Amino acid sequence: MELKTIIYRLIPTEKWNKFEKPEDWFSASEIDQGDLQDDVMELKKIISDNERIATFVDFDRLASVLREISQVENPIE
């Protein structure tokens, strides 16, 4: 699958119900950036290593990849 998005905004779940827009989305300390290429690389490590335990971060990574697949298959644009 070809990734259309590489960098994305990662909003922690505890911030999901906060609807005020920060004045500067690019420097807001509460909004981090994610990297889909990194997410895929880290998920591949879990698949190849039976001893590695999946953490909540890995599930966040999987959610980001699934969202990208959804956007590619069913674009909202």
Side-chain angles (χ1 to χ4, degrees):
M1 181 180 90
E2 181 181 327
L3 301 175
K4 291 186 175 186
T5 303
I6 301 299
I7 302 295
Y8 59 89
R9 290 191 182 112
L10 178 63
I11 303 172
T13 52
E14 65 271 10
K15 305 283 185 185
W16 284 3
N17 63 351
K18 188 174 182 180
F19 295 102
E20 302 84 31
K21 182 178 176 184
E23 289 182 25
D24 182 358
W25 278 92
F26 297 106
S27 66
S29 62
E30 64 189 9
I31 299 176
D32 293 326
Q33 288 186 339
D35 182 328
L36 280 177
Q37 290 177 331
D38 180 60
D39 293 343
V40 169
M41 182 179 66
E42 291 299 318
L43 290 171
K44 284 180 179 180
K45 289 179 184 177
I46 290 176
I47 293 168
S48 64
D49 183 356
N50 292 335
E51 300 295 317
R52 189 171 173 154
I53 298 172
T55 67
F56 73 94
V57 174
D58 297 312
F59 287 103
D60 283 342
R61 289 178 172 131
L62 179 59
S64 298
V65 171
L66 291 174
R67 185 190 182 291
E68 176 66 9
I69 291 169
S70 175
Q71 179 64 20
V72 168
E73 295 297 319
N74 301 295
I76 55 175
E77 300 168 358

